[in-house]
Amino acid sequence: MVYDTHALAAPPSPASTGTPLVEVRDLSVEFVSRESTTRAVNGVSFSLAPGEVLCIIGESGSGKSVTMRALMKLHPAKHTRISGYMRVADHEVSAHSEREMRDIRGSHISMIFQEPMTSLDPVYRIGDQIAETVVHHKKCSRADGYARALELLKLVGVPSPERRLKAYPHELSGGLRQRAMIAVALSCSPTLLLADEPTTALDATVQIQVLVLLRRLQQELGMAVIFVTHDLSVAAQIADKVAVMYAGRIVEYGSVADVLQHPAHPYTQGMLASTVSGHMRGQIIEAIPGSPPDMRVRIEGCSFVPRCKSVKPACRRGTPALVDVLQGHQAACANFV
Amino acid sequence: MKPMAERDFANPLPINTADRGGRQQPMLLVQSLKKHFPVKSGLLQRQKGAVRAVDNISFSVLKGETLGIVGESGCGKSTLARLLMHLITADACTLVFDGDPVSEIRGITLRDLRKNMQMVFQDSYSSLNPRLPIRNTIAYGPVVHGMAKSDAERLANDLLNRVGLRSEIYGARYPHELSGGQKQRVNIARALALTPRVLILDEAVSALDKSVEAQVLNLLNELKRDFNLTYLFISHDLNVVQYISDRVLVMYLGQVVEIGPVEEIYGNPRHPYTRALLQSRLSMNPAERVTEPPIGGDPPNPINPPSGCRFRTRCIFAEGVCEASQPTLDAVTGDRHPAACHMTDPMSGHTKAAA
Amino acid sequence: MSVASLSDLSAAPPTEKLPPVRGYWASVGNRLRYDYLTIFFLSVIAIIVVLAILAPLIAPFDPTKSHMAYRLKPPGFRNFMLGTDELGRDMLSRLLWGGRTSLLMGIFPVLLATLVGGSLGVAAGFMGGRTNTFIMRTMDVVFAFPSVLLAVAISGTLGGGAKNGMLALTLVFIPSICRVAESATTQVRGLDFVEAARASGGSTLSIVRTHILGNVLGPVFIFASSLISVSILLGSGLSFLGLGVEPPTPDWGLMLSTLRAGIYTQPLLCALPGAAIFITSLSFNLVSDGLRQAMDVKA
Amino acid sequence: MWYYAARRILMSIPIALGVSVICYTLVLLSPGDPIQALLPPDATPEEVAFLKRAYGFDKPIPVQYFYWLMRAISGDLGISLQTNRPVFTEVMGALSNTIVISVGAVLLAFSLAFALGTIAAYNAGRPADKIATGIAVVGVSIPNYWLGIVLVIIFAVNLGLLPASGMGTKGSTNFDIFDWEQARYAILPILTMSFVPLGIIMRTTRSAIAEILNQDFVQMLRAKGLGPLAVLRHATRNALPQVLTVMGLQLGYLVGGSILVETIFAWPGTGFLMSKAILTRDVPMLQGAILLLAVTFVTINLLVDLLQTAVDPRIKRA
């Protein structure tokens, strides 16, 4: 195996100019139905420099995907209440109308999904699905769109791309489908790529191919990436910064090395401890007891209290805010206040 | 990390102690297991090929061990589990359970086999009957095997408590009211209700969140010791398999490519596929990033697989001999860590074959 | 560790408050309670059924007695609240009595067809293989007739009458119910919990009873409920063609057919039995839709 | 794909055979002796026996069926008891009239239903959806034999705009739908007939498109920046195979089930023919009409299935 120890030191990029590419302040997302209100995201704030990779880590229902979809305003307006400030480059997403968002989606911000099988339209050819995006945003001819599609398939490393342009999604293998979806997302050279667990549904030997590809493309194209995953080791492979989410809040934030190697929040510590590896053989895993809270119920105080091993009276009083543990490494835990 | 603790229980549950052949007798002996699903096409739907889901597999499971089975999607590991449970009929197979051949005139009947061998399915929406309270789901097996209804329900309550679900709270609940981890505990309790000696766990923790996965793995370890169980643990997660298994079997496209003790497989893999699989594991250390994928491409379609060695299309060491002849697993007899690769057989003619 | 172990194992912290246990049918009922449209039409059906049952007690006249002097009179004429038909019979009484036949024609064939088609479908779905092929191909042949044509063909060749009409409708509905039951069964049969039941050594009969039926009855029930309205329409249609109920038995379809002659003089009279059919059929359709929505609970 | 098409055609042969068996059985079950209908009431036993032999009624039933089938395949469906003309020519003549109004009704219903269904699905839960689904449920609940009468009362009796029944003076032999004088006669039957398929096609369209709009790839389409029209284009393209199947079935139902509407409008199609045959107990005519209509239905379904393989790339099994 080849390790690239320089990868970490890599991107100083345009980040040095100072203004972050993405700014999210106090984002909340609620899903309203007749029976209940699900508070999926509760006051999330973060920022991201151009060319930087942020991994949002969390278990199912932690609000990580919801946060990302909110950035693109993909939630159905009818049952969703979104509040807070969101900005990507010079687009104030939170103030944009649906019509304005349509120009941004797929061009400035694009997204790749977990299941390539169900995320591509089954009755359109791969080439059509890529060219369609190019034609829509660049207002170019269909022929130019196809030329661009071919170029993109080559870029994402699809073998015999001419033939694949005419293929339907069900005629491709899982890895190729995921590459085709990446090609769709990159078709208009976005400045921000949102990736929703893009490697989770893939086999181990294919997952690593896609991860390496994504990292190469991210560096070559200088994109910023928000990468959602539940897998800490995937984050270790691709992230510059890491945000750990629990029950709709960011509970820890910092550089990937800080968070994974010196976790501060009890939840992050628990996650790391319960991630199985071979040298734990014959030992009991220090699992986090219980299960994540029901997001339909409003909780007083820190939502991790029922599962936490170091609870103080202060924990039940109010929701802890993110505070610096070290320079650039923050955690939301009463133990650090 | 704490050592495993000895515990005693409020509810001593029955443990199946029907050991026939003694410690040395393998619990399960599988020989030449084969299952091809026909692929029909053309005007008259003639058989044009076959998905070689499980193609001539032999292995044994020792008493009290955990045999891990790893492989990528489509390698036939789930088919293998269903074949062992006789949920689908094999094309060819000799199965010996603790010295008794299965389904033969003088051997153990299918009904008795199923009493002794149970299966835990992957947690999915379909693993539990949505119209049945979970207590009834667990009690179903014992009732079928002639236990009185009230006794079966008492047993179900004991089992629920044993897997960490308080029966008075959860017994009457329906599956949609439970979380993924809780459902998986019910699945385990259901499998235990017939006091089996062998549990086949088919991706039993794969769909769970990491923190819940850890809880269930702990539970499985405890149950194994307390109920004197033998596990067949099927998973695609190499870390979990390494944690729980005593021996590991690696599958590729319906065949076993390597089998051996866990430290041997992980410490000294002999088959190039096993090596690639191990290298595809991601490190938790951000300083150790993979820059070059260990192998390219997807696993090929199991319909009409490549000739010779099935891995040769993705193998960097492939030579003429790999296309011409199929490597066998028992190249070196008596080996406790055989691999189906020409490079491990000095007589194969592969240039890299160990002398 | 030994003390903490059990609480560590527990999947839910003891503080967690759990909602009350609610079975599938209870939650369906709960959802229906807030579906006012369905409740409204359910009560319309209830009223129609009650009126039909009470017809002998509340009908003001004998529905078959002609008043030859008062033919085709408008509603409100003398004591005839809804007028009289072409033979001078009281419309209101005939409508009330006609409801009995129409409802019977609507419900009975569906019930019988559900019983027969449902069992065939479950059998075909669970056995699979040759049994499935045999049953389903036979159904395909019956299915190759448009329903109206088949109903007309059967009662046309066997001769009219309410009995033959109901037999015809039953035969018309069997294949479609059988298909629904078969596909639902095939779907359930492949699910893991059925595999698990087989792995526990359950016999075919016990698996079907415990694990299959509970999951198949829902879709079959929804589908059958939507057929009641079709059955009412078809049954009245047969009577309209002279193939269903025989005169002078009052029936909405038959009334419509005989009153057609009077559309130039008393168009409103002709509209009445049709409106009765329409309202009944509409109510059954909407209730069936409401049921479908209420039963569509993701497990 | 060609293999699939050929297989599909082969598969419809046993179905057509089954259909013929049912038609034959129906006549066997029908009360009364078929010989009786052909004979004068005062026929001698010798005459009866002679006719039985002549018609093959003395042979075992499977043999009789075989003879009958052979005759049917060659287009000989017997002679109508009422008109004394060959059943085949009578039914085929009527069939073309039935097809005129059926196709008219399906085209009308389909265009309206597909549009309404799409709008309803896109606005699921909003007023537009409720109105559209309301129309659909009325369409499937309304007895069309009554609707026909109501339309006649309004447009023919009260307003006098359209003819109440029949096919006009030029008759049924060479009907020209593009001639307004004749087309007027088809309007009310087509309108009446289109209600049921309107409701059913709309429900299907709505549920198919609503289901597709819930699928993952629609999120992806929106994430690509496509607007509602482009998203709907993808959705309708995905829903088309399913909707086409239902449309084909409806066309078949109309051709085969037009008996009520044709009776009301005295439209000289197959349904009207059957209706008369029932009244006069003209069994050969009834049997022939049923057989031909069922075969037409099977053929329409076959054609729709073949069309479906052409529009759905997922059906491509070699």
Side-chain angles (χ1 to χ4, degrees):
Chain A
M1 185 157 14
V2 192
Y3 290 122
D4 175 11
T5 39
H6 301 288
L8 264 187
S13 56
S16 46
T17 52
T19 38
L21 177 75
V22 182
E23 223 183 319
V24 173
R25 276 205 307 270
D26 209 21
L27 173 70
S28 290
V29 183
E30 294 178 352
F31 298 118
V32 190
S33 74
R34 189 166 32 182
E35 286 105 29
S36 59
T37 300
T38 307
R39 294 171 187 85
V41 175
N42 305 305
V44 159
S45 305
F46 61 88
S47 62
L48 186 66
E52 201 174 38
V53 180
L54 170 72
C55 262
I56 304 182
I57 301 176
E59 295 181 298
S60 50
S62 60
K64 53 191 196 305
S65 286
V66 176
T67 303
M68 211 169 56
R69 270 151 222 246
L71 251 178
M72 236 179 178
K73 288 209 168 167
L74 277 180
H75 294 294
K78 200 180 161 202
H79 300 290
T80 320
R81 277 203 297 253
I82 300 184
S83 63
Y85 172 81
M86 292 181 282
R87 179 185 64 79
V88 176
D90 40 7
H91 302 284
E92 195 186 324
V93 170
S94 42
H96 276 339
S97 69
E98 169 69 22
R99 189 172 289 274
E100 288 167 311
M101 282 311 293
R102 265 180 238 150
D103 292 333
I104 301 171
R105 289 183 199 137
S107 58
H108 298 285
I109 316 174
S110 51
M111 188 158 174
I112 50 180
F113 296 83
Q114 177 173 353
E115 268 293 345
M117 185 67 216
T118 57
S119 300
L120 292 167
D121 187 331
V123 303
Y124 280 77
R125 294 171 199 276
I126 296 293
D128 289 323
Q129 302 195 40
I130 305 175
E132 178 185 42
T133 321
V134 182
V135 171
H136 176 74
H137 287 292
K138 301 261 194 266
K139 311 280 179 257
C140 61
S141 71
R142 283 197 76 75
D144 290 346
Y146 270 98
R148 174 77 177 140
L150 185 64
E151 204 179 295
L152 283 158
L153 283 189
K154 282 180 191 152
L155 180 73
V156 297
V158 171
S160 48
E162 291 85 358
R163 201 157 53 84
R164 311 289 192 203
L165 273 183
K166 297 196 188 71
Y168 289 100
H170 68 272
E171 296 167 333
L172 301 183
S173 67
L176 287 187
R177 266 186 232 126
Q178 194 58 285
R179 284 170 196 263
M181 185 148 78
I182 294 173
V184 174
L186 298 184
S187 58
C188 297
S189 329
T191 46
L192 175 64
L193 177 70
L194 306 177
D196 188 2
E197 306 235 18
T199 61
T200 307
L202 302 175
D203 277 320
T205 58
V206 182
Q207 158 168 298
I208 194 151
Q209 296 169 30
V210 172
L211 272 180
V212 169
L213 170 76
L214 272 175
R215 209 174 49 210
R216 178 172 65 81
L217 291 171
Q218 181 266 327
Q219 281 165 0
E220 280 174 14
L221 306 174
M223 286 182 296
V225 177
I226 299 181
F227 194 110
V228 161
T229 183
H230 69 275
D231 190 333
L232 296 168
S233 56
V234 167
Q237 287 293 318
I238 199 158
D240 298 320
K241 296 277 169 55
V242 167
V244 181
M245 279 189 82
Y246 185 79
R249 292 176 206 281
I250 293 181
V251 295
E252 183 156 3
Y253 176 85
S255 77
V256 62
D258 284 349
V259 174
L260 291 190
Q261 297 187 323
H262 310 285
H265 196 279
Y267 174 65
T268 318
Q269 289 167 355
M271 281 266 274
L272 275 159
S274 55
T275 301
V276 183
S277 71
H279 45 253
M280 297 179 181
R281 284 188 59 74
Q283 293 167 313
I284 291 180
I285 313 165
E286 270 187 85
I288 310 174
S291 44
D294 186 340
M295 302 298 281
R296 289 169 299 188
V297 186
R298 199 185 280 279
I299 305 159
E300 290 301 316
C302 174
S303 47
F304 192 60
V305 165
R307 305 174 76 186
C308 190
K309 58 186 177 191
S310 48
V311 181
K312 297 198 294 187
C315 296
R316 298 182 199 277
R317 255 176 260 133
T319 312
L322 271 177
V323 292
D324 271 353
V325 182
L326 285 164
Q327 177 69 35
H329 182 183
Q330 303 164 307
C333 178
N335 289 315
F336 297 105
V337 175
Chain B
M1 234 56 66
K2 295 160 191 165
M4 289 211 179
E6 292 295 321
R7 302 202 295 112
D8 49 2
F9 304 104
N11 294 309
L13 287 156
I15 297 171
N16 195 328
T17 50
D19 194 339
R20 284 171 50 97
R23 291 298 304 171
Q24 296 310 309
Q25 175 89 270
M27 184 64 103
L28 205 57
L29 207 64
V30 182
Q31 260 160 16
S32 328
L33 181 60
K34 201 167 96 176
K35 179 71 187 178
H36 292 185
F37 295 103
V39 178
K40 290 175 180 170
S41 67
L43 196 57
L44 298 170
Q45 294 286 283
R46 285 219 191 84
Q47 188 174 335
K48 285 286 161 66
V51 177
R52 303 195 172 190
V54 170
D55 204 6
N56 212 357
I57 283 183
S58 304
F59 62 91
S60 59
V61 186
L62 305 180
K63 275 185 188 148
E65 78 168 345
T66 299
L67 178 69
I69 299 177
V70 285
E72 293 175 290
S73 60
C75 74
K77 43 190 200 306
S78 279
T79 310
L80 174 64
R82 282 168 164 75
L83 283 171
L84 293 178
M85 282 310 295
H86 288 73
L87 290 172
I88 44 183
T89 36
D91 297 339
C93 177
T94 314
L95 191 63
V96 181
F97 186 87
D98 197 6
D100 285 324
V102 176
S103 273
E104 282 167 32
I105 305 147
R106 305 182 59 184
I108 179 176
T109 61
L110 189 54
R111 196 178 159 85
D112 283 336
L113 174 78
R114 283 176 173 167
K115 240 182 122 171
N116 282 301
M117 190 157 81
Q118 279 289 304
M119 179 162 168
V120 178
F121 294 83
Q122 180 166 8
D123 162 57
S124 65
Y125 81 102
S126 74
S127 62
L128 294 169
N129 186 346
R131 301 281 179 275
L132 224 52
I134 58 173
R135 181 186 291 132
N136 301 25
T137 290
I138 298 171
Y140 178 78
V143 168
V144 161
H145 281 269
M147 192 185 271
K149 205 161 172 132
S150 53
D151 291 342
E153 283 186 3
R154 208 169 309 128
L155 174 70
N157 284 344
D158 291 348
L159 281 166
L160 275 175
N161 291 332
R162 184 61 195 82
V163 297
L165 294 172
R166 280 160 60 201
S167 59
E168 68 276 17
I169 298 179
Y170 288 100
R173 291 196 173 267
Y174 290 83
H176 69 268
E177 299 170 304
L178 304 183
S179 71
Q182 292 170 335
K183 272 190 263 188
Q184 207 52 355
R185 288 163 193 266
V186 176
N187 274 327
I188 293 169
R190 166 175 63 192
L192 291 176
L194 288 174
T195 57
R197 298 172 66 194
V198 180
L199 264 197
I200 300 176
L201 301 138
D202 184 11
E203 300 277 10
V205 296
S206 305
L208 304 176
D209 274 325
K210 281 278 174 276
S211 65
V212 180
E213 176 188 89
Q215 298 168 5
V216 175
L217 286 174
N218 280 343
L219 174 66
L220 286 174
N221 268 332
E222 277 189 48
L223 293 173
K224 184 184 172 196
R225 195 191 50 223
D226 297 340
F227 289 90
N228 195 18
L229 294 165
T230 300
Y231 283 165
L232 253 77
F233 191 91
I234 298 174
S235 177
H236 65 273
D237 187 327
L238 290 149
N239 289 324
V240 174
V241 168
Q242 187 183 11
Y243 168 74
I244 204 160
S245 308
D246 299 310
R247 284 196 310 140
V248 176
L249 183 155
V250 185
M251 280 183 80
Y252 187 74
L253 279 187
Q255 291 182 325
V256 178
V257 295
E258 187 167 0
I259 183 169
V262 63
E263 7 4 291
E264 282 280 308
I265 294 277
Y266 281 77
N268 178 27
R270 299 175 71 186
H271 197 283
Y273 175 64
T274 313
R275 279 204 287 276
L277 213 50
L278 290 174
Q279 282 168 13
S280 302
R281 281 183 303 171
L282 303 174
S283 163
M284 292 283 268
N285 184 351
E288 295 174 358
R289 290 191 170 176
V290 182
T291 52
E292 204 57 57
I295 44 171
D298 289 63
N301 196 330
I303 304 173
N304 306 327
S307 68
C309 174
R310 292 189 177 175
F311 184 60
R312 71 177 162 82
T313 49
R314 300 171 81 192
C315 182
I316 49 170
F317 303 109
E319 290 180 5
V321 60
C322 302
E323 190 178 342
S325 77
Q326 188 173 338
T328 48
L329 196 64
D330 48 2
V332 186
T333 44
D335 194 346
R336 61 185 214 115
H337 177 196
C341 178
H342 287 309
M343 291 191 290
T344 63
D345 179 6
M347 311 297 285
S348 67
H350 194 287
T351 53
K352 285 201 161 53
Chain C
M1 188 66 202
S2 55
V3 186
S5 176
L6 250 185
S7 60
D8 259 21
L9 273 173
S10 158
T15 50
E16 193 180 345
K17 263 197 223 106
L18 289 157
V21 181
R22 199 182 265 163
Y24 173 70
W25 293 103
S27 60
V28 168
N30 192 52
R31 284 167 71 119
L32 270 183
R33 264 192 9 221
Y34 297 98
D35 186 350
Y36 301 118
L37 192 75
T38 305
I39 291 179
F40 174 78
F41 281 98
L42 204 58
S43 24
V44 171
I45 291 177
I47 292 170
I48 294 172
V49 169
V50 168
L51 287 180
I53 291 175
L54 296 182
L57 300 176
I58 56 175
F61 290 90
D62 178 351
T64 54
K65 188 170 182 291
S66 309
H67 305 259
M68 291 311 272
Y70 313 130
R71 282 184 290 185
L72 286 175
K73 294 298 176 202
F77 178 82
R78 300 244 173 139
N79 292 330
F80 305 110
M81 269 167 65
L82 292 177
T84 58
D85 72 358
E86 78 288 349
L87 294 175
R89 296 173 291 197
D90 177 46
M91 281 292 287
L92 176 61
S93 308
R94 283 185 72 75
L95 280 175
L96 288 172
W97 279 88
R100 304 186 121 202
T101 19
S102 292
L103 284 175
L104 196 67
M105 289 284 260
I107 295 169
F108 183 73
V110 174
L111 276 184
L112 197 59
T114 307
L115 211 65
V116 178
S119 335
L120 281 174
V122 170
F126 196 76
M127 312 251 215
R130 291 231 177 97
T131 317
N132 182 301
T133 314
F134 177 74
I135 295 179
M136 294 322 286
R137 290 300 83 78
T138 312
M139 292 300 152
D140 280 351
V141 171
V142 185
F143 222 68
F145 290 85
S147 48
V148 178
L149 182 67
L150 186 61
V152 168
I154 295 171
S155 41
T157 45
L158 296 188
K163 240 190 252 164
N164 281 347
M166 284 199 270
L167 175 71
L169 291 178
T170 309
L171 289 176
V172 165
F173 295 138
I174 285 176
S176 52
I177 292 179
C178 180
R179 273 196 183 180
V180 171
E182 191 259 354
S183 74
T185 309
T186 309
Q187 216 174 2
V188 173
R189 187 175 77 129
L191 298 181
D192 285 349
F193 66 81
V194 178
E195 298 260 276
R198 286 176 59 211
S200 301
S203 66
T204 305
L205 202 67
S206 121
I207 292 176
V208 168
R209 217 178 41 221
T210 322
H211 295 289
I212 303 272
L213 279 188
N215 290 286
V216 171
L217 280 182
V220 171
F221 185 59
I222 292 176
F223 181 74
S225 75
S226 76
L227 283 183
I228 292 179
S229 127
V230 178
S231 188
I232 290 174
L233 288 179
L234 270 180
S236 302
L238 283 180
S239 302
F240 181 82
L241 289 172
L243 289 173
V245 179
E246 275 159 30
T249 317
D251 173 273
W252 292 341
L254 196 63
M255 289 167 75
L256 193 57
S257 143
T258 53
L259 284 166
R260 259 182 77 203
I263 54 171
Y264 291 93
T265 44
Q266 289 291 348
L268 190 61
L269 286 185
C270 186
L272 282 175
I277 301 172
F278 177 45
I279 290 170
T280 315
S281 144
L282 183 73
S283 307
F284 273 108
N285 253 326
L286 284 166
V287 168
S288 164
D289 280 359
L291 264 183
R292 183 193 310 270
Q293 266 171 33
M295 283 168 80
D296 190 22
V297 190
K298 294 276 175 287
Chain D
M1 193 175 128
W2 295 114
Y3 273 138
Y4 179 78
R7 258 179 56 70
R8 184 64 189 77
I9 292 171
L10 279 183
M11 268 164 59
S12 52
I13 292 175
I15 293 197
L17 276 180
V19 163
S20 72
V21 171
I22 292 186
C23 286
Y24 190 78
T25 316
L26 280 176
V27 175
L28 277 186
L29 292 177
S30 73
D33 190 343
I35 293 291
Q36 228 69 58
L38 297 165
L39 285 169
D42 53 349
T44 62
E46 289 77 39
E47 283 173 313
V48 173
F50 172 77
L51 231 92
K52 268 195 171 172
R53 255 199 312 283
Y55 277 80
F57 285 133
D58 54 342
K59 300 262 172 31
I61 285 171
V63 178
Q64 286 188 42
Y65 162 74
F66 182 73
Y67 286 154
W68 172 82
L69 183 68
M70 285 301 124
R71 284 201 303 274
I73 288 173
S74 64
D76 174 10
L77 292 173
I79 306 290
S80 161
L81 299 180
Q82 204 57 33
T83 61
N84 276 323
R85 289 169 52 195
V87 167
F88 188 77
T89 25
E90 292 260 332
V91 177
M92 287 315 268
L95 190 60
S96 66
N97 290 336
T98 299
I99 286 177
V100 166
I101 51 169
S102 306
V103 169
V106 163
L107 287 182
L108 175 68
F110 177 75
S111 43
L112 210 60
F114 200 68
L116 279 177
T118 310
I119 292 170
Y122 192 76
N123 296 298
R126 299 214 190 96
D129 177 30
K130 289 190 174 133
I131 293 169
T133 37
I135 295 174
V137 77
V138 166
V140 295
S141 306
I142 207 160
N144 58 9
Y145 38 92
W146 175 66
L147 178 72
I149 296 171
V150 172
L151 289 178
V152 166
I153 294 176
I154 297 172
F155 290 98
V157 179
N158 286 348
L159 299 176
L161 286 176
L162 293 165
S165 68
M167 238 184 145
T169 45
K170 292 217 175 129
S172 64
T173 38
N174 37 18
F175 183 79
D176 180 8
I177 191 79
F178 299 105
D179 176 2
W180 172 242
E181 263 317 303
Q182 296 183 53
R184 291 173 63 210
Y185 287 88
I187 291 178
L188 286 186
I190 287 180
L191 208 59
T192 309
M193 267 185 136
S194 63
F195 257 68
V196 174
L198 174 78
I200 291 176
I201 297 174
M202 210 197 84
R203 284 178 160 198
T204 313
T205 312
R206 186 195 176 277
S207 72
I209 292 189
E211 197 194 312
I212 286 161
L213 287 178
N214 271 328
Q215 282 178 16
D216 290 358
F217 75 80
V218 172
Q219 285 256 329
M220 173 88 180
L221 292 174
R222 295 186 58 222
K224 277 158 54 164
L226 301 186
L229 279 181
V231 170
L232 273 183
R233 186 167 56 84
H234 278 266
T236 47
R237 176 87 171 72
N238 271 275
L240 199 59
Q242 203 184 333
V243 177
L244 271 184
T245 311
V246 173
M247 198 181 105
L249 272 177
Q250 288 305 311
L251 178 62
Y253 283 149
L254 289 193
V255 172
S258 55
I259 180 163
L260 286 157
V261 174
E262 287 183 5
T263 306
I264 290 163
F265 291 99
W267 181 266
T270 44
F272 192 50
L273 203 67
M274 281 168 67
S275 173
K276 278 193 300 189
I278 290 168
L279 283 178
T280 56
R281 301 219 43 83
D282 185 347
V283 175
M285 179 70 107
L286 195 56
Q287 185 188 29
I290 292 167
L291 181 67
L292 281 178
L293 285 177
V295 170
T296 312
F297 184 63
V298 172
T299 315
I300 290 175
N301 279 339
L302 176 65
L303 291 177
V304 170
D305 262 21
L306 296 181
L307 184 64
Q308 209 186 343
T309 56
V311 297
D312 191 344
R314 283 165 295 189
I315 306 176
K316 230 186 186 174
R317 287 153 258 150

